[in-house]
């Protein structure tokens, strides 16, 4: 079972937009770490609303 590519693109774009990390840096993260960063960015964004 592979990870959906649309979701992967969304995660990479989301993290890159907020943290300005390179695509390679983000793709080198373990999946669980990448999802954790997405969750943490969402928490920050929710506090700002």
């Amino acid at each position: 079972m592979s990870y959906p590519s649309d979701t992967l693109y969304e995660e990479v774009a989301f993290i890159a937009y907020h943290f300005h990390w390179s695509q390679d840096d983000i793709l080198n993260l373990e999946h669980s770490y990448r999802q954790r960063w997405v969750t943490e960015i969402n928490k920050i964004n929710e506090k700002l609303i």
Side-chain angles (χ1 to χ4, degrees), residues 7-49:
T7 303
L8 179 60
Y9 276 102
E10 288 173 3
E11 289 177 358
V12 171
F14 190 72
I15 295 169
Y17 176 80
H18 287 281
F19 287 167
H20 308 283
W21 293 353
S22 73
Q23 177 181 329
D24 288 340
D25 287 343
I26 297 166
L27 288 173
N28 284 331
L29 294 171
E30 293 280 334
H31 180 185
S32 62
Y33 286 122
R34 196 168 47 248
Q35 285 187 313
R36 177 66 190 263
W37 282 116
V38 168
T39 299
E40 295 302 320
I41 294 167
N42 277 326
K43 286 180 186 176
I44 293 169
N45 285 336
E46 288 175 8
K47 288 180 182 176
L48 296 175
I49 294 175

